[in-house]
């Protein structure tokens, strides 16, 4: 899906990569402008240019050693599958933050 013909735009993050609430709002605003998150780092996010659309983002901070969701211990891949069952699409991961 992400080939050399894809139109990628890089943007500086407007806040710390650990400011979950601000990042979620910013990513949603970018989607309304036609920018769909592709990858994210400490200071820069990469976006694929698409048609403007309303997208809701959910950033999940993963503890270092374990995950507990709904009172159950889960691996990272189990968490991703669980979130997808709930209707979220996995986008990327940076440090200990999973982007849906």
């Amino acid at each position: 899906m992400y080939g050399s013909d894809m139109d990628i735009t890089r943007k500086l993050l407007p806040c710390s990569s650990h400011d979950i609430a601000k990042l979620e709002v910013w990513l949603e605003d970018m989607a309304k402008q036609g920018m769909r998150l592709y990858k994210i780092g400490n200071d820069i996010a990469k976006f694929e240019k698409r048609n403007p659309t309303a997208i809701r983002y959910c950033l999940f901070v993963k503890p270092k050693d374990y995950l507990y969701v709904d009172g159950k211990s889960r691996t990272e891949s189990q968490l991703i599958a669980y979130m997808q069952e709930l209707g979220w699409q996995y986008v990327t991961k940076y440090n200990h933050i999973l982007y849906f």
Side-chain angles (χ1 to χ4, degrees), residues 38-61:
Y38 162 62
K39 193 171 184 178
I40 197 161
N42 193 40
D43 297 324
I44 295 177
K46 294 180 183 179
F47 296 90
E48 176 186 10
K49 289 186 182 178
R50 296 264 188 103
N51 290 329
T53 187
I55 295 177
R56 188 167 168 222
Y57 282 87
C58 175
L59 279 59
F60 188 92
V61 180

Side-chain angles (χ1 to χ4, degrees), residues 75-99:
T75 65
E76 185 175 302
S77 61
Q78 288 173 326
L79 171 66
I80 291 169
Y82 175 75
M83 292 295 283
Q84 288 174 331
E85 287 174 16
L86 296 176
W88 293 97
Q89 179 182 354
Y90 176 71
V91 179
T92 191
K93 173 181 154 183
Y94 177 70
N95 281 338
H96 297 289
I97 303 173
L98 301 173
Y99 290 75

